Amino acid sequence: MRLRLLILGVLLAACAPVEPYHTDMQTVVLRNDAGAQVALIPVEIADSTEEWKQGLMGRTDIGESGMLFVFPDEAERNFWMKDTLVPLDIIFFAADGSFLSSATMEPCASDPCPGYPSRGAAAYALEVAKGSLQKWNLQEGAQLELNPEM
């Protein structure tokens, strides 16, 4: 009987939904160069070396959410898509939230994977579903707003 319960427990655990890698969720606002809000995005925060390395690897869908990489300083950043299963758009921002650059990143299963560098010293990198960049049309003058007041 105990063995049956143990097997049932293992099977139920295997069917549980996958939780986000990092559960510290926030909402960010993206504003275009005219200051108009173009997106309100729930994001997981990646703010440690371990979380930066893991990123969105292994995910099969991120829906309308994203991951915001928060760095302690401004520096040139370079991302790659090793073992990331879904195509993503990445947007780099300076410490003041101003738009630096963006790219569309494709999944990569084997080395060497291409890099996607920031054009300038970035303090933030926002990863969202592919197609978001085209939809929002962000460019110079766009702004990332952290912890917006609702």
Side-chain angles (χ1 to χ4, degrees):
M1 181 64 164
R2 285 186 180 174
L3 181 58
R4 287 183 187 167
L5 288 175
L6 177 63
I7 291 171
L8 179 61
V10 169
L11 290 174
L12 287 174
C15 295
V18 176
E19 293 297 318
Y21 176 73
H22 191 289
T23 57
D24 183 13
M25 297 291 287
Q26 289 188 18
T27 301
V28 298
V29 169
L30 295 181
R31 297 190 181 280
N32 64 17
D33 55 341
Q37 179 178 314
V38 295
L40 182 67
I41 309 160
V43 294
E44 294 176 52
I45 302 298
D47 58 5
S48 70
T49 303
E50 181 180 304
E51 292 164 348
W52 299 330
K53 288 179 182 178
Q54 178 66 32
L56 292 170
M57 285 195 300
R59 306 282 180 93
T60 56
D61 183 19
I62 64 166
E64 297 294 318
S65 65
M67 180 171 278
L68 182 66
F69 294 80
V70 179
F71 300 100
D73 59 352
E74 286 184 301
E76 298 273 333
R77 307 289 177 197
N78 192 28
F79 279 62
W80 68 336
M81 293 285 285
K82 178 81 168 122
D83 297 326
T84 304
L85 306 175
V86 294
L88 300 170
D89 287 340
I90 188 165
I91 312 164
F92 295 101
F93 297 92
D96 66 359
S98 60
F99 173 87
L100 291 173
S101 62
S102 61
T104 296
M105 307 185 300
E106 295 296 332
C108 179
S110 60
D111 289 327
C113 291
Y116 300 92
S118 63
R119 281 185 254 142
Y124 304 102
L126 175 62
E127 289 183 341
V128 290
K130 179 181 177 179
S132 300
L133 284 172
Q134 184 175 15
K135 178 171 59 176
W136 301 327
N137 191 28
L138 295 180
Q139 53 194 323
E140 190 172 333
Q143 196 74 25
L144 170 72
E145 188 179 309
L146 302 171
N147 303 313
E149 292 185 23
M150 302 295 185

